[in-house]
Amino acid sequence: MIQPVETAPIPAIDIAALADDLQDKIEQARLASRDDPFGNPVLRVTLWLTRLMDSGELTTAAAGELVRLLGRRALRQRAGRLARYVGLERDETAAFAALARQQAEAAGSFSAFRAAVERPRFGAVFTAHPTFGMTRRLAHALADLASGHAAATAVIEEPQLSFRPDGRITLQDEFEQARFAVRHARDAIDRLNAAFLDEARQRWPQDWTRLAPRPVILASWVGCDTDGRTDIGWWDTLRYRLESKDGQFARILEKLPEEPATAALRKLVDDACAAVGRQLALAPPIGTQPSLEALQAFALALVHERETALPDSSRLLAVLDEALGLASDATKRVLALVRAGVVAHGVSIALPHFRLNASQLHNALRGVIPSDGEPAEPAERRAFLAAANAELGKVEPVAVDFGALAAERASAARMMMTIAQIVKHVDGSRPVRFLIAETETGYTLLCALWLASRFGIADKVEISPLFETSDALEQGPRIIDEALRSPHFRDYLKSHGRLCIQFGYSDSGRYIGQVASTFWVERLRIRICELLARYELTDIELVIFDTHGESVGRGAHADSLADRLAYLDPPFARQAFAKAGIATVRETSFQGSDGYLLFGTPQLAGATVGRIAEAVFVAPEAADDPIYDEPDFASEFFQTVREEMNALVDDPGYAALIGTFGPSLLDKTGSRPAARQTEGAGPARIRHPRELRAIPNNAILQQLGWMANSLHGIGHGAARAPDIFRAMREQSDRFDRAYRLAAHAMGHSDLDVLRAYLDSLDPGSWFDRARRTTRDGRREELLVVAEALSRLELAPMLRRLFWRLSADALKLRATADDVPRMPVRLAALHALRLAAMHRIWLAAAHIPDFRPHAGLTREALFERLLRLDVPASLALLAEIFPRDPDPTIGLDFGEPPGPREGGTYEALHRDVLTPMLELFALIREISGAIQHEIGAFG
């Protein structure tokens, strides 16, 4: 188990003065580097810190206090940025009232106003991406601090404040945090809807109670996302949907006044809530493998309590309408708000989104469409599409029960059957979104439609492809075209009245560059608009779900929420849909702790909902943007970024950069692993970025001081046409906004910091130090580290990688004279962490030799320590070199005693192993502080 940073009594040292001194050293070293191009200012400060540690002036405990001080400052700045980001200084009531007034004035009649505000325009989707990079308590404190709540100061100033996440993050933890944010979001939506109702009551007093505004709705896929994981059982998913249902009923009961007009309504909801409680009491615990008897009992509760628990919103809405006719004026407003929430979300607190992988769908249909080929292969595509289309013409629905669900082994069929049981027994008010990751052929969409038809829920499932990989973004139009050629799929879309598509920004950003990915996504949107027009489907609604995170590396603009929304949905694309007469609904994900922060308090949630509503109610203007008048420059620029990023991703040095010790810099920030584990050999060595999930990939780049996925390639792109590049930055809102996203990454990147990490893996730098050191015993330590690094043979490829990254960065600086620089405090944190890393490696030189232990040699163990696999390595060393004496010594076992290891290794543990563990905890604390400096995880 990883221990916290040492909290023993700290020698008398002025931490604030040390922090100032450290930052001064960074600035001085940067200035000195102008006259010494062969030196590295970050490593120079790292060496100064190492010498302070050698002399005992800077203990690990004092270093921990230094990190707390710098991290607290970063937290306070982050809180201020968060408040500005959502526009917290604006008056929420006035903003909502102004929106309502503008819409009413533009409508002119109740029917037009009703049509404007009852159509969903935006969906906020709460996901459990692994970005839970801080404790739940600190996340709440950060939100409170941004909202001006004085109580947050006590948490921030706690002596033992930690910047690391909770020790073990479970799916239940993620669900509870999402539910906390959803409740604030629902309340904020109620306040927005109240403004629409108040405006309608003032203008149309005879009609306003018929209004059910729902311009902003909520959804969540927490507990419903099985893409890349097998630990979520269908009973877990049903439990979470029941908890969502319980949350909806609890909100209604909290809001309903106790008066005669609401008596029948309160009884209906109270009985339903009690029935859901009984169902939840029989739901298997999360994360368990229940017995068949337990599943049967749970299933019977769902079936027998179905009607009392309200399987959809129809009866609830009917009773609400009756109460509205009887209630007082004050109560009518409350009931109208409750009714709007039920119309929008059914009997759930948020709508469900399910997600799985395309390959799971293909596997589910192998018994129906047998073939040894792959549907995405060019030679096979037509045959698979024709076969799927033929099967859709003869599919017959089959009944689903919980017994069949329990027996089903195919993951895609099991998910579709789970949805069938949810819409039958839990909440069938609204269609369920069915998201398909890695969609690379229209056959995938036809497979999903066949499965939905097979289980009789095609009218209850919204099939949505995810376009995220480089190939999918380029081939997206063909994929949609393949599906639209099927008359069955076109009929399906017409019956739903909408087509749902999803764009991913994490994977697309890390493979083709974040700035390039937004160009390809916009291009794909416009092509889909053209396809809908070609197939005469302009009367259906297009739902565009942008699945991105809160960091620039995952597609979130850092300047403001308004910029974020405009970046994802550019005016040109909106205008193209408006011209074609295609209505669109925008959806955006809010991921993990970072995303939930925007709804962390009532004030933040209100501001966030306000900015969203302002963005979606503004009609697209026919504004000319010169980037669209220079299609050759735009295509060449973004294609260059893409090609450079593709080359970088395939560079062996890039995999070495992120994979050597990068994963060890990060705590686990979610309920699923960041990468595969190798039996008995520590963490798997990353040989290509695809072996690591996108979020930890991006987080490692943040931690190494070079956010390549957001900035690499821009220098080469700008150098091709520097004059046009500068002109576009000045004249094009679209291009400048994209560049400013990259500039945020530039402002948290530094080639000197990156070079310091790379040089730390270069044995040459350690041999140089060994030649020059005058400290007793240090030469021997340095040589041990240098020789161990030599065996890794990383230096040549890392040098080539640095040349590649430097060339692009220098091209950008030659073209743009305002490239931002990493803040001094952030550079100081990197220097302190480098010093801690070096101390661990130097201490490892004192580990005695040992005979192979379970196949592990001293050389292999040292390699694991170079990769910062510290806790697991130290656990093995504790077995090899026990601290306590053999407990069998002195005991009578009835025979003459055999040989025993009589010695203990207390000194080794005290002087080497325990300090290494404390230094590793310091490294992880620094990673947490860096996260707050940057403003997001991953």
Side-chain angles (χ1 to χ4, degrees), residues 16-28:
L18 179 61
D20 293 341
D21 198 13
L22 172 58
Q23 293 177 95
D24 287 344
K25 293 285 186 186
I26 292 288
E27 291 181 325
Q28 293 165 14

Side-chain angles (χ1 to χ4, degrees), residues 694-714:
I695 289 173
N697 177 103
N698 298 346
I700 289 167
L701 293 173
Q702 291 176 337
Q703 295 295 330
L704 295 177
W706 195 255
M707 296 165 65
N709 58 325
S710 301
L711 59 87
H712 186 68
I714 294 176

Side-chain angles (χ1 to χ4, degrees), residues 223-239:
C224 303
D225 173 21
T226 61
D227 176 29
R229 61 191 303 171
T230 59
D231 59 325
I232 302 176
W234 59 263
W235 51 89
D236 296 326
T237 300
L238 278 158
R239 183 189 186 100

Side-chain angles (χ1 to χ4, degrees), residues 52-242:
L52 288 180
M53 292 176 174
D54 288 341
S55 67
E57 295 177 70
L58 181 61
T59 64
T60 305
E65 287 303 309
L66 178 58
V67 173
R68 285 191 186 96
L69 177 63
L70 297 175
R72 285 187 182 106
R73 293 175 180 174
L75 273 172
R76 293 185 182 281
Q77 282 198 355
R78 183 177 182 182
R81 291 196 305 269
L82 176 59
R84 293 189 296 274
Y85 189 77
V86 299
L88 201 56
E89 74 283 355
R90 295 179 53 189
D91 182 90
E92 176 192 297
T93 303
F96 287 169
L99 271 171
R101 183 172 59 254
Q102 291 163 7
Q103 292 305 306
E105 289 172 353
S109 67
F110 177 75
S111 59
F113 182 67
R114 185 178 186 181
V117 303
E118 286 193 348
R119 185 178 78 83
R121 295 169 180 264
F122 188 94
V125 185
F126 294 82
T127 74
H129 283 80
T131 62
F132 296 88
M134 62 186 119
T135 64
R136 194 185 310 194
R137 189 162 181 263
L138 184 55
H140 290 327
L142 183 55
D144 288 340
L145 192 64
S147 303
H149 299 166
T153 302
V155 178
I156 303 299
E157 295 298 331
E158 282 180 349
Q160 304 307 319
L161 175 68
S162 174
F163 304 114
R164 300 176 67 179
D166 290 308
R168 181 174 179 268
I169 302 169
T170 66
L171 186 63
Q172 182 64 22
D173 295 325
E174 295 168 348
F175 178 82
E176 290 172 1
Q177 293 190 56
R179 181 170 56 188
F180 182 84
V182 165
R183 284 171 176 167
H184 281 156
R186 283 290 303 270
D187 289 342
I189 290 170
D190 279 354
R191 297 194 295 275
L192 171 65
N193 289 343
F196 290 122
L197 289 166
D198 290 344
E199 188 69 25
R201 179 165 58 178
Q202 180 181 342
R203 293 174 181 264
W204 303 287
Q206 304 303 315
D207 298 312
W208 73 275
T209 57
R210 295 191 288 119
L211 188 67
R214 49 178 180 142
V216 180
I217 60 175
L218 307 180
S220 172
W221 76 29
V222 183
C224 303
D225 173 21
T226 61
D227 176 29
R229 61 191 303 171
T230 59
D231 59 325
I232 302 176
W234 59 263
W235 51 89
D236 296 326
T237 300
L238 278 158
R239 183 189 186 100
Y240 284 131
R241 295 318 306 161
L242 287 172

Side-chain angles (χ1 to χ4, degrees), residues 489-498 535-537 540:
F489 196 77
R490 291 198 303 274
D491 289 343
Y492 159 79
L493 293 180
K494 290 173 183 176
S495 67
H496 274 270
R498 55 180 11 195
Y535 283 96
E536 299 180 348
L537 293 171
I540 70 167

